[in-house]
Amino acid sequence: MDKKYCAYICTGCGIGDALDIEALSEIVSGEMSMECKTHAYLCGKEGRAFIETDIADGVNTIVVGACSPRVMTNEFNFGDDKITVRANLREQVIWSEVKPAEGEEPHAEAAEFLQETASDYMRMACTRAKKTELAEAFKLETINKTIMVMGAGISGLTAAKEAAAAGYDVLVVEKEDEPGGKAKGWRKSFPSKSPWTDLEENPVAALLAEIEANEKITVKTATEVARISGAPGDFNVTFKDAGTTGEWDAPAKVTVDEQELIDKGQKEDPNAGLQKYTEIDPNATKVGAVVLATGWKPADVSQYEHLGHGKIPNVVTNAEFEKLAKEGKVPANVAFVQSPGGKDHDQDFPYCNSVTSMVALKQAQYVCQDNAEGKAYILYQHMRTPGSMELFYKAAQLNDGIFMTKGNVMQVGEAGGKVTVAVEDTLLGENLDLEVDMVVLAAGMEPTTLHENTINLAYRQGPAFNDLDLFDGYADSHFICFPYETRRTGIYACGGVRKAETMDEALDDATGAALKAVQCLESTDRGVSVHPRSGDATYPEFFMQRCTQCKRCTEECPFGALDDDDKGTPLPNPTRCRRCGTCMGACPERIIGFKDYNIDLIGSMVKAIEVPEDDDDRLRIVVFVCENDAYPALDMSGMKRNGLNHMVRFIPVRCLGSVNMAWIRDALSAGMDGAMLLGCTYGDDYQCHFVKGSEIASKRMENIGDTLSSLGLESERCAAEQVAITDYDKIPQIINDFVEEIVEMGPNPFKGF
């Protein structure tokens, strides 16, 4: 593409009042050798027409100095065949100006500081435009649009129904002899409509009839998935008879350090002799996307010895009681224990939430319906009935046969053919000693992924979802922002395998997962990425001639987008890729990059920042900012007019995992006084959109101290901080504290070299 450039600076929203626009234009036209024009209202109809006139004359690379790139996206979208780069002059320059405290005089050079900041952002934007190339979408030669649903329970069947309604062929795989799942054995279901008080008929039978009558849906029963290889749009699936084992050998995971020893012959290869896991079975079935709906299992509650499950005959779980209820074997007096009690009196059973509360309310009604003098005792620490289900709870309160109290269950025993329950610290402050026919324990819903590998992926990173110690066995990629995504692109989870949930929630879940699978297929067909960078046509390109086979990219990729070929060289799967750039940040040889995001591009932006010499008021600190949480928080901080230190320059990055330490080293060796990474939180307060990017970057920063020491620089000149998107009021303090540390250390001794 032969580029024809033009830069446009908006003077609206106070930009023209706060900045010397003529001087800013001269920076662009002079230093950056790019034609520059100004307009009072670029995002308006006249402003867009102003730019489109130049586009008609051949301009195809546009730099816009105005508001944040996070807003007015449609107004500044000039088509996929144009390059548009935006400089944030509003939120992160004029709206972030530090105002003097009440009674203080403004800094004599405040206007100059603001102008310098704006000039640097225009320099960086122009540099980015020059280094950016048009994306070339990656398209498969042939794409398969069949959606495979694993599991034929209420969630799987609903996902199949919704995907078929959208026009897609669906293959449902169920390991049991009949479809229907656990829901098929339920006596009644919760109310789903006003007045939210009455139990409803189980909808599974009607759903099964719909599935059977739908020509677009094929159901394979008594079948399990043996292996899944390939990528979205081109998955290869092999099957086995349910219950059989041994068809495939799962490869052992090998770390980078271990692989180096294996390559040197100093360690035995644990995968030697195993069937090559990237091999494609010629008899494999082709599918385009997968919905994981393999469900849940009742949690084991026998560990709570004082409750007697497995020792006292009439102590059962809620799942076991539901089966008895459907068979018409409901005793007259039943205690429903919602929490373990004892020493853990303030805790619920694991893998529980509101669903176990509502199951108890439902099953308590069975007791009253089946027995004229029936009595149901619900003993709880927490009762959760969200939304309209509060009316369901109130209806149970009004039932003369249902008794509810908050209390700590201390012991379940047996005496005279009855089950005894000792309860302390009740809501009324009295202890209770109940004698009932049966005790029902609110066992949680454990996802099948907790104990077994149901997905069997032929990925270098292993056959199951990597254990992050974050999701307690669930298959999530990001529970809050991307609830149906797993860590493997093209595979979407719903139902009990995603979280403990009611039937209504499972129906909504299944619809969401089916639509995500459809979105994935359509995005793959267009050659663009899915969540969270939906629509991104770029993908990582590798200069393999310089690859040292260190395998850091394959090790650190959060989504398993890279396998190995027969020689151990990274083997990209572009349709698996989510474009986070973690592989780029991992590569010590700097051979991985995107058309509009690469080592040279960001490095050149860093170098475009003007670094003044011999002026302690003009130190320069570069901050690489995650575009997902930290950058929006910065924008909101600007909207609040919180003020940000004038010495700092922000560069948005796709993910902190994409930050190559070369940028840090080059920035400091070029005279920058400090460098910071500002990204999503990880650990217990996990928020990273790309799963592990922020954590990986922080670990890399811990190792950069040795490099800085070799340059004669303090390791404290580098820092990594975590912020949530809601931390906009905390950001100024985080930035200012770091700036103060740099000021105390003094200017970088490399200035001027």
Side-chain angles (χ1 to χ4, degrees):
M1 170 183 177
D2 292 328
K3 294 181 179 178
K4 183 176 180 180
Y5 304 96
C6 192
Y8 303 86
I9 299 175
C10 184
T11 60
C13 296
I15 296 174
D17 298 328
L19 300 174
D20 184 339
I21 299 300
E22 184 177 348
L24 199 57
S25 299
E26 289 177 0
I27 292 286
V28 175
S29 58
E31 290 183 30
M32 307 312 300
S33 303
M34 190 177 294
E35 185 179 5
C36 186
K37 299 181 179 182
T38 63
H39 194 278
Y41 189 29
L42 278 178
C43 63
K45 185 176 180 180
E46 292 182 358
R48 183 177 175 91
F50 181 61
I51 298 174
E52 287 177 334
T53 299
D54 290 343
I55 290 175
D57 289 336
V59 169
N60 55 20
T61 306
I62 301 130
V63 175
V64 176
C67 48
S68 169
R70 297 184 61 255
V71 299
M72 302 296 179
T73 52
N74 290 331
E75 286 79 357
F76 294 117
N77 181 359
F78 300 103
D80 294 338
D81 60 340
K82 307 293 185 299
I83 294 171
T84 303
V85 177
R86 297 175 63 182
N88 193 342
L89 301 182
R90 188 178 70 176
E91 285 83 349
Q92 292 179 20
V93 181
I94 67 163
W95 284 3
S96 293
E97 181 183 8
V98 178
K99 301 294 184 183
E102 187 175 347
E104 289 186 1
E105 291 294 324
H107 195 290
E109 298 176 289
E112 292 182 37
F113 293 155
L114 201 66
Q115 191 72 23
E116 288 171 358
T117 304
S119 298
D120 280 340
Y121 282 124
M122 287 305 298
R123 289 186 183 102
M124 286 192 286
C126 292
T127 300
R128 183 165 209 150
K130 291 178 179 180
K131 293 287 184 178
T132 295
E133 297 180 26
L134 274 181
E136 299 173 6
F138 178 87
K139 292 191 176 183
L140 296 168
E141 290 184 11
T142 57
I143 182 171
N144 187 292
K145 289 194 174 183
T146 298
I147 295 174
M148 181 176 74
V149 178
M150 296 176 61
I154 187 74
S155 299
L157 295 175
T158 302
K161 171 187 168 183
E162 297 297 338
Y168 293 81
D169 292 328
V170 182
L171 171 63
V172 181
V173 181
E174 170 57 51
K175 69 176 183 179
E176 301 297 333
D177 293 337
E178 295 181 355
K182 290 183 178 62
K184 196 174 183 180
W186 295 343
R187 171 166 153 176
K188 293 283 186 178
S189 64
F190 303 127
S192 62
K193 57 183 180 296
S194 180
W196 305 97
T197 56
D198 304 318
L199 298 179
E200 298 178 359
E201 292 300 317
N202 190 332
V204 173
L207 180 57
L208 283 168
E210 285 187 72
I211 297 295
E212 186 175 348
N214 196 317
E215 295 181 353
K216 298 191 77 63
I217 301 174
T218 302
V219 180
K220 291 173 70 73
T221 56
T223 303
E224 292 184 68
V225 170
R227 206 67 167 158
I228 300 177
S229 62
D234 191 30
F235 282 118
N236 305 281
V237 185
T238 55
F239 303 103
K240 63 181 181 180
D241 293 335
T244 59
T245 59
E247 277 82 354
W248 294 83
D249 291 316
K253 188 173 180 181
V254 179
T255 66
V256 171
D257 293 337
E258 288 172 337
Q259 187 63 50
E260 289 179 357
L261 295 176
I262 292 169
D263 294 341
K264 294 176 182 177
Q266 298 174 6
K267 180 179 174 65
E268 184 178 349
D269 186 352
N271 294 318
L274 294 187
Q275 185 171 359
K276 184 66 177 177
Y277 58 89
T278 54
E279 182 179 322
I280 296 175
D281 188 328
N283 299 315
T285 298
K286 292 277 190 179
V287 301
V290 179
V291 174
L292 182 66
T294 49
W296 56 278
K297 293 182 178 181
D300 181 11
V301 291
S302 61
Q303 60 182 301
Y304 305 103
E305 295 184 3
H306 65 288
L307 298 181
H309 187 261
K311 294 185 293 185
I312 301 174
N314 280 349
V315 176
V316 300
T317 65
N318 43 12
E320 292 166 338
F321 185 81
E322 189 73 23
K323 182 179 180 181
L324 293 172
K326 187 160 188 181
E327 294 170 352
K329 301 177 181 178
V330 178
N333 295 283
V334 181
F336 295 89
V337 178
Q338 299 304 105
S339 304
K343 296 179 181 179
D344 298 321
H345 66 88
D346 60 342
Q347 302 293 320
D348 288 334
F349 289 105
Y351 296 93
C352 287
N353 58 18
S354 61
V355 64
T356 49
S357 295
M358 290 188 287
V359 166
L361 295 173
K362 178 182 77 167
Q363 294 178 344
Q365 289 195 29
Y366 298 162
V367 175
C368 299
Q369 290 170 355
D370 290 12
N371 303 279
E373 300 297 324
K375 292 182 176 62
Y377 304 91
I378 300 178
L379 311 171
Y380 64 89
Q381 285 294 336
H382 312 98
M383 284 295 289
R384 301 178 177 90
T385 51
S388 298
M389 298 308 289
E390 183 72 12
L391 298 174
F392 183 51
Y393 171 74
K394 289 183 178 179
Q397 279 186 315
L398 297 174
N399 190 318
D400 292 338
I402 299 177
F403 305 89
M404 290 184 271
T405 187
K406 181 177 182 179
N408 182 17
V409 177
M410 298 302 296
Q411 187 68 46
V412 175
E414 55 182 334
K418 296 288 186 178
V419 185
T420 60
V421 185
V423 190
E424 293 183 357
D425 301 323
T426 67
L427 196 61
L428 299 177
E430 300 176 357
N431 294 341
L432 289 177
D433 289 301
L434 299 176
E435 192 175 83
V436 295
D437 301 314
M438 183 171 285
V439 168
V440 180
L441 306 181
M445 301 166 64
E446 292 185 346
T448 55
T449 49
L450 183 65
H451 299 297
E452 58 189 78
N453 173 25
T454 57
I455 198 72
N456 292 310
L457 296 168
Y459 286 20
R460 182 194 187 279
Q461 292 76 10
F465 301 110
N466 287 354
D467 183 10
L468 291 180
D469 295 326
L470 293 172
F471 304 126
D472 296 325
Y474 293 117
D476 297 289
S477 174
H478 190 292
F479 194 88
I480 298 172
C481 297
F482 309 105
Y484 309 113
E485 283 81 348
T486 69
R487 291 191 65 195
R488 298 295 176 255
T489 309
I491 300 172
Y492 302 93
C494 64
V497 77
R498 196 178 77 80
K499 70 182 182 74
E501 56 191 18
T502 65
M503 184 180 289
D504 264 5
E505 289 174 319
L507 298 180
D508 290 344
D509 233 23
T511 303
L515 293 177
K516 277 294 183 182
V518 168
Q519 180 192 48
C520 176
L521 288 174
E522 294 307 310
S523 295
T524 300
D525 197 24
R526 292 189 292 119
V528 299
S529 68
V530 295
H531 46 268
R533 293 186 58 84
S534 298
D536 186 350
T538 67
Y539 57 92
E541 297 175 324
F542 295 71
F543 187 67
M544 292 300 185
Q545 293 87 331
R546 281 175 39 207
C547 178
T548 62
Q549 299 180 341
C550 72
K551 296 182 172 56
R552 284 179 173 80
C553 57
T554 53
E555 278 287 316
E556 294 191 6
C557 175
F559 305 108
L562 299 163
D563 290 321
D564 294 334
D565 65 14
D566 293 333
K567 297 179 181 179
T569 305
L571 182 65
N573 295 277
T575 63
R576 290 186 199 169
C577 176
R578 299 196 195 170
R579 280 64 167 181
C580 62
T582 299
C583 56
M584 184 178 85
C587 182
E589 297 297 317
R590 313 183 199 182
I591 65 168
I592 306 172
F594 301 77
K595 294 290 188 185
D596 63 352
Y597 186 67
N598 50 64
I599 303 295
D600 177 53
L601 185 151
I602 300 296
S604 297
M605 289 176 65
V606 173
K607 293 172 185 175
I609 299 170
E610 187 177 73
V611 181
E613 298 178 20
D614 302 323
D615 190 340
D616 289 353
D617 283 339
R618 285 179 165 83
L619 301 184
R620 287 292 177 263
I621 297 163
V622 63
V623 180
F624 298 99
V625 185
C626 172
E627 68 180 11
N628 297 301
D629 271 18
Y631 198 86
L634 278 171
D635 277 354
M636 286 189 281
S637 181
M639 292 169 65
K640 290 276 191 177
R641 307 301 200 275
N642 285 338
L644 293 168
N645 194 286
H646 69 275
M647 300 184 190
V648 176
R649 302 293 183 264
F650 299 105
I651 297 180
V653 295
R654 294 186 177 187
C655 173
L656 288 195
S658 70
V659 175
N660 195 291
M661 291 299 105
W663 296 338
I664 307 293
R665 292 191 296 268
D666 292 350
L668 294 177
S669 61
M672 289 289 234
D673 300 288
M676 173 186 275
L677 304 186
L678 195 62
C680 309
T681 56
Y682 62 88
D684 292 339
D685 297 323
Y686 167 81
Q687 287 293 315
C688 181
H689 284 52
F690 291 110
V691 184
K692 295 199 74 173
S694 189
E695 180 182 355
I696 288 171
S698 294
K699 289 180 179 178
R700 291 178 191 157
M701 287 290 276
E702 290 173 4
N703 298 326
I704 202 170
D706 293 339
T707 301
L708 296 183
S709 296
S710 66
L711 293 172
L713 295 173
E714 304 90 339
S715 60
E716 291 79 12
R717 288 188 183 273
C718 294
E721 294 288 343
Q722 305 168 55
V723 293
I725 197 170
T726 53
D727 287 341
Y728 50 86
D729 282 334
K730 298 178 183 178
I731 281 181
Q733 190 64 49
I734 292 172
I735 298 296
N736 290 337
D737 287 347
F738 184 60
V739 170
E740 287 178 11
E741 291 180 24
I742 299 298
V743 170
E744 287 181 10
M745 282 183 270
N748 184 338
F750 283 96
K751 283 185 186 294
F753 287 92

